[in-house]
Amino acid sequence: MPLLSTGTSRRRLVTAAAVGFPAILTCGRAFAAQDPFTQGVASGDPLADGFVIWTRIAPDIFAEDGMGGAPDGLPVRWEVARDEGFRHIVKVGEALARRAFGSTLHVEVSGLDPDRPYWYRFIAQGVNSPTGRAWTAPRPDAAVDRVRFTAASCSHWEWGYFSAYRHMAQEEDSRFTLFLGDYIYESPGQPLVGGRVRSYGDLPEADSLANYRRRYALHHSDPDLQALHAAAPAIAIWDDHEVQDDYSGIWSKQLDQLPPARFRQRRQAAYQAFVENLPVRLSRVMRPEGYRIHNRLHWGRLAQFDALDGRQFRSPPACIEQGSGKGHMTAIDCPDLEDPSRTFLGFEQERWLYDGWNRSTAEWNVLVQNLLIAPMVFDTPKGPVIWTDTWNGFGAARRRLIDTMVSSGIRNPVTLAGDYHSFWANNLYRDFDKPGQKPVAAEFVVSSITSSGPPENFYKNAMPANPQIRYFDSTHRGYMAFDLGSDRLDVRMMATSDRTDRHATAYILHSASVEAGVPGLT
Ligand code: FE
Ligand code: CA
């Protein structure tokens, strides 16, 4: 459902636009005097012949109705050029910013050359947006030596500045950014004590379309996040906080107050705000049956990336206690864990994934998803327990996933996750209980941009019982950078110096690698 315009009911505006975007239109002086591009620009979903470019018209970022103070149907011109100075413009068009879609624009640009940079911008009311840079993917059959990309998750506004995003934007030659979830947090504002550095202001808990939109509007006012989006295309999936903490499918953490029928409505509003505000390909995502964010990306013959939706189609949480669908610690003999009728991805998405793996000829197969896959068992006086919200709460589904990694014969599987506010490097095994096996894949979990980590000592103490976890650090915030080549994958865990410092520096906290042909961590 791309918003490329032809006909329109706002002829007056289009006529004005057609004669060259005068600075003042007749649609309201107060609006015309303001910058329509307060939210920056973004690109996403790179293919070999194009990508999506995004912006949002929001002269009044925090308008209470979530609309950003934009008039309906404002015509916006867009331009894509081969050079930063826009001397060689190769594609132009006009789109209408519709209030029904949160005044956002998602233009699906095609007909471009593979594997090269392009620059893009929008023009409304005679005002130019900032310029963004995108990069097309190589042709699927192209031989590719190397690609660099970065990954992020968990950017809680109140807990700090987004310096990690700024440093990701400065990663030279990064071709795309993976957002692994918790891009926003729906939670109510907290008093600014105990290390919190900035506030949601008067934004209430996000639970309606207007208030989810306002959360994104706040985030997209951040210069570091804007810089990252302007530097490289995004591939974005959601985790829980884009909707509600720890929800699972249509089961909310408050099963009594928000039974599935009511929670489904809230979830619908949250999903709508997500697709409006991230540079996703609407022709793929907007389906009659709902939102489909899972997505496959090819980077030449070098890599296949399968980006997953790990929330929408999930079964209810394992061994629910006291009417709450929230993640909790449960005994490892909770019978739900091994119930094969429970699913993490939904059976349809599982089939889609396994089908993609069965056909894959890529040298590397990267799973881009939200939650920790490796088992993490805690010994307690009452016996061993696991945290139900991750793949740990879906043991049978995890076994299907890892078994299929092996049976499909995919080359060099690697999995990525976020959510845990900590850096991890893990080995995945077919049977975690049998010692002496060879790993099937390496798993990398990226820490948070700002969100607080889990208690370091509690986790460190549990590590001897979890030999599949090879590296863990919950005290640092940051991102991950990946250099993927035919011969090896090098991973840098990048920590920021101080989330409370707007000018924080970044440094390598830990490096890890995977050798082609040798599954697991090197
Ligand atoms: Fe988080
Ligand atoms: Ca999460």
Side-chain angles (χ1 to χ4, degrees), residues 152-171:
S153 87
C154 296
S155 46
H156 196 299
W157 179 267
E158 294 186 317
W159 285 107
Y161 296 110
F162 292 165
S163 296
Y165 281 152
R166 181 175 66 257
H167 289 285
M168 291 170 78
Q170 292 165 0
E171 281 281 349

PDB file of all heavy atoms in Angstrom, residues 152-171:
ATOM      1  N   ALA A 152      21.096  -3.167  16.785  1.00  0.00           N
ATOM      2  CA  ALA A 152      20.744  -2.435  17.999  1.00  0.00           C
ATOM      3  C   ALA A 152      19.447  -2.972  18.569  1.00  0.00           C
ATOM      4  O   ALA A 152      18.626  -3.542  17.842  1.00  0.00           O
ATOM      5  CB  ALA A 152      20.555  -0.952  17.684  1.00  0.00           C
ATOM      6  N   SER A 153      19.267  -2.777  19.871  1.00  0.00           N
ATOM      7  CA  SER A 153      17.944  -2.997  20.455  1.00  0.00           C
ATOM      8  C   SER A 153      17.803  -2.188  21.741  1.00  0.00           C
ATOM      9  O   SER A 153      18.788  -1.705  22.292  1.00  0.00           O
ATOM     10  CB  SER A 153      17.677  -4.487  20.707  1.00  0.00           C
ATOM     11  OG  SER A 153      18.162  -4.897  21.953  1.00  0.00           O
ATOM     12  N   CYS A 154      16.575  -2.020  22.184  1.00  0.00           N
ATOM     13  CA  CYS A 154      16.277  -1.521  23.532  1.00  0.00           C
ATOM     14  C   CYS A 154      16.776  -0.101  23.805  1.00  0.00           C
ATOM     15  O   CYS A 154      17.763   0.111  24.515  1.00  0.00           O
ATOM     16  CB  CYS A 154      16.822  -2.492  24.566  1.00  0.00           C
ATOM     17  SG  CYS A 154      16.001  -4.095  24.483  1.00  0.00           S
ATOM     18  N   SER A 155      16.051   0.869  23.231  1.00  0.00           N
ATOM     19  CA  SER A 155      16.413   2.274  23.433  1.00  0.00           C
ATOM     20  C   SER A 155      15.338   2.951  24.278  1.00  0.00           C
ATOM     21  O   SER A 155      14.411   3.546  23.743  1.00  0.00           O
ATOM     22  CB  SER A 155      16.600   2.975  22.090  1.00  0.00           C
ATOM     23  OG  SER A 155      15.549   2.678  21.209  1.00  0.00           O
ATOM     24  N   HIS A 156      15.477   2.807  25.593  1.00  0.00           N
ATOM     25  CA  HIS A 156      14.543   3.460  26.508  1.00  0.00           C
ATOM     26  C   HIS A 156      14.919   4.934  26.628  1.00  0.00           C
ATOM     27  O   HIS A 156      16.027   5.259  27.038  1.00  0.00           O
ATOM     28  CB  HIS A 156      14.587   2.770  27.873  1.00  0.00           C
ATOM     29  CG  HIS A 156      13.411   3.107  28.750  1.00  0.00           C
ATOM     30  ND1 HIS A 156      13.137   4.394  29.154  1.00  0.00           N
ATOM     31  CD2 HIS A 156      12.437   2.331  29.272  1.00  0.00           C
ATOM     32  CE1 HIS A 156      12.046   4.380  29.902  1.00  0.00           C
ATOM     33  NE2 HIS A 156      11.597   3.146  29.983  1.00  0.00           N
ATOM     34  N   TRP A 157      13.981   5.785  26.284  1.00  0.00           N
ATOM     35  CA  TRP A 157      14.243   7.231  26.232  1.00  0.00           C
ATOM     36  C   TRP A 157      14.736   7.771  27.566  1.00  0.00           C
ATOM     37  O   TRP A 157      15.679   8.554  27.629  1.00  0.00           O
ATOM     38  CB  TRP A 157      12.942   7.933  25.825  1.00  0.00           C
ATOM     39  CG  TRP A 157      13.047   9.421  25.746  1.00  0.00           C
ATOM     40  CD1 TRP A 157      12.761  10.330  26.730  1.00  0.00           C
ATOM     41  CD2 TRP A 157      13.471  10.180  24.610  1.00  0.00           C
ATOM     42  NE1 TRP A 157      12.977  11.608  26.285  1.00  0.00           N
ATOM     43  CE2 TRP A 157      13.411  11.548  24.983  1.00  0.00           C
ATOM     44  CE3 TRP A 157      13.879   9.850  23.318  1.00  0.00           C
ATOM     45  CZ2 TRP A 157      13.753  12.577  24.102  1.00  0.00           C
ATOM     46  CZ3 TRP A 157      14.219  10.882  22.451  1.00  0.00           C
ATOM     47  CH2 TRP A 157      14.163  12.215  22.841  1.00  0.00           C
ATOM     48  N   GLU A 158      14.086   7.364  28.636  1.00  0.00           N
ATOM     49  CA  GLU A 158      14.365   7.987  29.927  1.00  0.00           C
ATOM     50  C   GLU A 158      15.716   7.577  30.520  1.00  0.00           C
ATOM     51  O   GLU A 158      16.240   8.269  31.382  1.00  0.00           O
ATOM     52  CB  GLU A 158      13.269   7.622  30.933  1.00  0.00           C
ATOM     53  CG  GLU A 158      11.930   8.215  30.563  1.00  0.00           C
ATOM     54  CD  GLU A 158      10.886   7.962  31.642  1.00  0.00           C
ATOM     55  OE1 GLU A 158      10.839   6.833  32.164  1.00  0.00           O
ATOM     56  OE2 GLU A 158      10.150   8.889  31.960  1.00  0.00           O
ATOM     57  N   TRP A 159      16.251   6.444  30.055  1.00  0.00           N
ATOM     58  CA  TRP A 159      17.460   5.925  30.685  1.00  0.00           C
ATOM     59  C   TRP A 159      18.747   6.498  30.119  1.00  0.00           C
ATOM     60  O   TRP A 159      19.827   6.181  30.611  1.00  0.00           O
ATOM     61  CB  TRP A 159      17.501   4.402  30.595  1.00  0.00           C
ATOM     62  CG  TRP A 159      16.569   3.725  31.543  1.00  0.00           C
ATOM     63  CD1 TRP A 159      15.409   3.091  31.224  1.00  0.00           C
ATOM     64  CD2 TRP A 159      16.704   3.607  32.965  1.00  0.00           C
ATOM     65  NE1 TRP A 159      14.826   2.583  32.355  1.00  0.00           N
ATOM     66  CE2 TRP A 159      15.596   2.894  33.430  1.00  0.00           C
ATOM     67  CE3 TRP A 159      17.673   4.053  33.876  1.00  0.00           C
ATOM     68  CZ2 TRP A 159      15.413   2.599  34.781  1.00  0.00           C
ATOM     69  CZ3 TRP A 159      17.489   3.769  35.219  1.00  0.00           C
ATOM     70  CH2 TRP A 159      16.367   3.051  35.659  1.00  0.00           C
ATOM     71  N   GLY A 160      18.643   7.296  29.063  1.00  0.00           N
ATOM     72  CA  GLY A 160      19.898   7.855  28.585  1.00  0.00           C
ATOM     73  C   GLY A 160      19.813   8.441  27.197  1.00  0.00           C
ATOM     74  O   GLY A 160      18.770   8.405  26.536  1.00  0.00           O
ATOM     75  N   TYR A 161      20.945   8.993  26.765  1.00  0.00           N
ATOM     76  CA  TYR A 161      21.068   9.555  25.424  1.00  0.00           C
ATOM     77  C   TYR A 161      21.442   8.453  24.442  1.00  0.00           C
ATOM     78  O   TYR A 161      22.033   7.446  24.818  1.00  0.00           O
ATOM     79  CB  TYR A 161      22.108  10.675  25.425  1.00  0.00           C
ATOM     80  CG  TYR A 161      21.689  11.823  26.292  1.00  0.00           C
ATOM     81  CD1 TYR A 161      22.338  12.091  27.487  1.00  0.00           C
ATOM     82  CD2 TYR A 161      20.600  12.615  25.941  1.00  0.00           C
ATOM     83  CE1 TYR A 161      21.932  13.131  28.308  1.00  0.00           C
ATOM     84  CE2 TYR A 161      20.180  13.657  26.752  1.00  0.00           C
ATOM     85  CZ  TYR A 161      20.842  13.909  27.938  1.00  0.00           C
ATOM     86  OH  TYR A 161      20.422  14.924  28.746  1.00  0.00           O
ATOM     87  N   PHE A 162      21.100   8.705  23.187  1.00  0.00           N
ATOM     88  CA  PHE A 162      21.266   7.669  22.159  1.00  0.00           C
ATOM     89  C   PHE A 162      22.636   7.754  21.480  1.00  0.00           C
ATOM     90  O   PHE A 162      22.754   7.642  20.256  1.00  0.00           O
ATOM     91  CB  PHE A 162      20.150   7.778  21.125  1.00  0.00           C
ATOM     92  CG  PHE A 162      18.765   7.424  21.645  1.00  0.00           C
ATOM     93  CD1 PHE A 162      17.632   7.764  20.912  1.00  0.00           C
ATOM     94  CD2 PHE A 162      18.591   6.736  22.849  1.00  0.00           C
ATOM     95  CE1 PHE A 162      16.350   7.441  21.363  1.00  0.00           C
ATOM     96  CE2 PHE A 162      17.314   6.411  23.315  1.00  0.00           C
ATOM     97  CZ  PHE A 162      16.187   6.769  22.567  1.00  0.00           C
ATOM     98  N   SER A 163      23.692   7.927  22.294  1.00  0.00           N
ATOM     99  CA  SER A 163      25.047   8.014  21.714  1.00  0.00           C
ATOM    100  C   SER A 163      25.387   6.773  20.907  1.00  0.00           C
ATOM    101  O   SER A 163      26.107   6.853  19.903  1.00  0.00           O
ATOM    102  CB  SER A 163      26.083   8.195  22.820  1.00  0.00           C
ATOM    103  OG  SER A 163      25.882   9.410  23.487  1.00  0.00           O
ATOM    104  N   ALA A 164      24.915   5.618  21.351  1.00  0.00           N
ATOM    105  CA  ALA A 164      25.220   4.389  20.610  1.00  0.00           C
ATOM    106  C   ALA A 164      24.704   4.506  19.177  1.00  0.00           C
ATOM    107  O   ALA A 164      25.377   4.076  18.231  1.00  0.00           O
ATOM    108  CB  ALA A 164      24.603   3.179  21.307  1.00  0.00           C
ATOM    109  N   TYR A 165      23.524   5.093  18.997  1.00  0.00           N
ATOM    110  CA  TYR A 165      23.002   5.288  17.638  1.00  0.00           C
ATOM    111  C   TYR A 165      23.940   6.196  16.832  1.00  0.00           C
ATOM    112  O   TYR A 165      24.169   5.981  15.649  1.00  0.00           O
ATOM    113  CB  TYR A 165      21.609   5.930  17.687  1.00  0.00           C
ATOM    114  CG  TYR A 165      20.457   5.001  18.014  1.00  0.00           C
ATOM    115  CD1 TYR A 165      19.310   5.501  18.639  1.00  0.00           C
ATOM    116  CD2 TYR A 165      20.482   3.653  17.661  1.00  0.00           C
ATOM    117  CE1 TYR A 165      18.228   4.679  18.913  1.00  0.00           C
ATOM    118  CE2 TYR A 165      19.401   2.822  17.938  1.00  0.00           C
ATOM    119  CZ  TYR A 165      18.269   3.344  18.563  1.00  0.00           C
ATOM    120  OH  TYR A 165      17.189   2.532  18.828  1.00  0.00           O
ATOM    121  N   ARG A 166      24.476   7.237  17.487  1.00  0.00           N
ATOM    122  CA  ARG A 166      25.378   8.143  16.770  1.00  0.00           C
ATOM    123  C   ARG A 166      26.626   7.392  16.301  1.00  0.00           C
ATOM    124  O   ARG A 166      27.079   7.551  15.178  1.00  0.00           O
ATOM    125  CB  ARG A 166      25.767   9.321  17.671  1.00  0.00           C
ATOM    126  CG  ARG A 166      26.691  10.331  17.001  1.00  0.00           C
ATOM    127  CD  ARG A 166      26.966  11.543  17.890  1.00  0.00           C
ATOM    128  NE  ARG A 166      27.722  11.220  19.092  1.00  0.00           N
ATOM    129  CZ  ARG A 166      27.219  11.106  20.316  1.00  0.00           C
ATOM    130  NH1 ARG A 166      25.936  11.303  20.522  1.00  0.00           N
ATOM    131  NH2 ARG A 166      27.988  10.808  21.350  1.00  0.00           N
ATOM    132  N   HIS A 167      27.155   6.557  17.177  1.00  0.00           N
ATOM    133  CA  HIS A 167      28.360   5.814  16.788  1.00  0.00           C
ATOM    134  C   HIS A 167      28.054   4.774  15.708  1.00  0.00           C
ATOM    135  O   HIS A 167      28.892   4.503  14.854  1.00  0.00           O
ATOM    136  CB  HIS A 167      29.012   5.187  18.014  1.00  0.00           C
ATOM    137  CG  HIS A 167      29.644   6.224  18.901  1.00  0.00           C
ATOM    138  ND1 HIS A 167      30.824   6.845  18.572  1.00  0.00           N
ATOM    139  CD2 HIS A 167      29.231   6.785  20.072  1.00  0.00           C
ATOM    140  CE1 HIS A 167      31.123   7.741  19.511  1.00  0.00           C
ATOM    141  NE2 HIS A 167      30.175   7.725  20.430  1.00  0.00           N
ATOM    142  N   MET A 168      26.870   4.212  15.739  1.00  0.00           N
ATOM    143  CA  MET A 168      26.483   3.298  14.647  1.00  0.00           C
ATOM    144  C   MET A 168      26.439   4.068  13.323  1.00  0.00           C
ATOM    145  O   MET A 168      26.875   3.561  12.283  1.00  0.00           O
ATOM    146  CB  MET A 168      25.103   2.697  14.934  1.00  0.00           C
ATOM    147  CG  MET A 168      25.091   1.729  16.102  1.00  0.00           C
ATOM    148  SD  MET A 168      23.414   1.276  16.585  1.00  0.00           S
ATOM    149  CE  MET A 168      22.988   0.087  15.309  1.00  0.00           C
ATOM    150  N   ALA A 169      25.915   5.293  13.372  1.00  0.00           N
ATOM    151  CA  ALA A 169      25.839   6.113  12.153  1.00  0.00           C
ATOM    152  C   ALA A 169      27.231   6.380  11.601  1.00  0.00           C
ATOM    153  O   ALA A 169      27.410   6.560  10.393  1.00  0.00           O
ATOM    154  CB  ALA A 169      25.130   7.433  12.445  1.00  0.00           C
ATOM    155  N   GLN A 170      28.217   6.412  12.495  1.00  0.00           N
ATOM    156  CA  GLN A 170      29.588   6.722  12.068  1.00  0.00           C
ATOM    157  C   GLN A 170      30.393   5.475  11.695  1.00  0.00           C
ATOM    158  O   GLN A 170      31.571   5.587  11.368  1.00  0.00           O
ATOM    159  CB  GLN A 170      30.291   7.504  13.190  1.00  0.00           C
ATOM    160  CG  GLN A 170      29.688   8.894  13.367  1.00  0.00           C
ATOM    161  CD  GLN A 170      30.089   9.567  14.671  1.00  0.00           C
ATOM    162  OE1 GLN A 170      30.825   8.993  15.467  1.00  0.00           O
ATOM    163  NE2 GLN A 170      29.586  10.768  14.891  1.00  0.00           N
ATOM    164  N   GLU A 171      29.798   4.301  11.777  1.00  0.00           N
ATOM    165  CA  GLU A 171      30.498   3.075  11.360  1.00  0.00           C
ATOM    166  C   GLU A 171      30.713   3.151   9.853  1.00  0.00           C
ATOM    167  O   GLU A 171      29.766   3.032   9.070  1.00  0.00           O
ATOM    168  CB  GLU A 171      29.661   1.831  11.698  1.00  0.00           C
ATOM    169  CG  GLU A 171      29.726   1.416  13.137  1.00  0.00           C
ATOM    170  CD  GLU A 171      31.000   0.641  13.468  1.00  0.00           C
ATOM    171  OE1 GLU A 171      31.732   0.245  12.537  1.00  0.00           O
ATOM    172  OE2 GLU A 171      31.255   0.438  14.675  1.00  0.00           O
TER     173      GLU A 171
END
